[in-house]
Amino acid sequence: QVQLVESGGGLVQAGGSLRLSCAASGRIFSINVMRWYRQAPGKQREVVATITSGDSTNYADSGKGRFTISRHNANNTVYLQMNSLKPEDTAVYYCNADLRTTRWGSVLGYWGQGTQVTVSS
């Protein structure tokens, strides 16, 4: 079974930094794409950053210039470095991965449980 586990969330003052981690484990043949999403209370879940198997990246406008997504393939871990945090960044952050569990299988999406990020003013 595939499991994604996020860590690194917490409480930080505006202007501070956090580094989120997401470790994928279990039966994984290949990971095509990994993403970070976030969801604030009463708001729609939105994508924050994306990284492909070729390490190309994409960012939502809200995080451009402040957030950096990266991956470490050896341990199937994706990171989100968050700098210059703002109160509007407060949300639950979720890790998402599109992956194959076998060479012949379909690409399916998996989700972590989420980690809370709270930015105080």
Side-chain angles (χ1 to χ4, degrees):
Q1 296 227 332
V2 175
Q3 187 177 25
L4 305 180
V5 180
E6 300 99 333
S7 61
L11 176 64
V12 65
Q13 291 185 346
S17 298
L18 285 174
R19 191 190 193 207
L20 306 183
S21 300
C22 172
S25 62
R27 186 176 183 178
I28 300 171
F29 178 77
S30 63
I31 299 176
N32 291 42
V33 181
M34 299 191 80
R35 307 177 182 89
W36 285 98
Y37 285 77
R38 69 185 184 187
Q39 187 167 26
K43 299 291 184 66
Q44 201 83 359
R45 187 174 298 187
E46 62 180 356
V47 65
V48 176
T50 301
I51 188 166
T52 70
S53 60
D55 284 338
S56 63
T57 59
N58 195 26
Y59 300 91
D61 288 342
S62 59
K64 284 182 179 176
R66 301 186 298 122
F67 295 176
T68 302
I69 188 170
S70 61
R71 67 194 301 171
H72 190 267
N73 292 334
N75 56 7
N76 290 324
T77 302
V78 64
Y79 305 93
L80 185 67
Q81 179 67 46
M82 308 167 68
N83 298 327
S84 302
L85 284 164
K86 305 173 182 178
E88 50 263 45
D89 295 319
T90 296
V92 177
Y93 284 71
Y94 297 91
C95 177
N96 164 259
D98 292 341
L99 57 85
R100 297 177 188 264
T101 58
T102 64
R103 183 176 183 176
W104 55 88
S106 300
V107 177
L108 300 176
Y110 295 84
W111 292 88
Q113 81 288 348
T115 184
Q116 177 71 48
V117 171
T118 303
V119 183
S120 62
S121 59

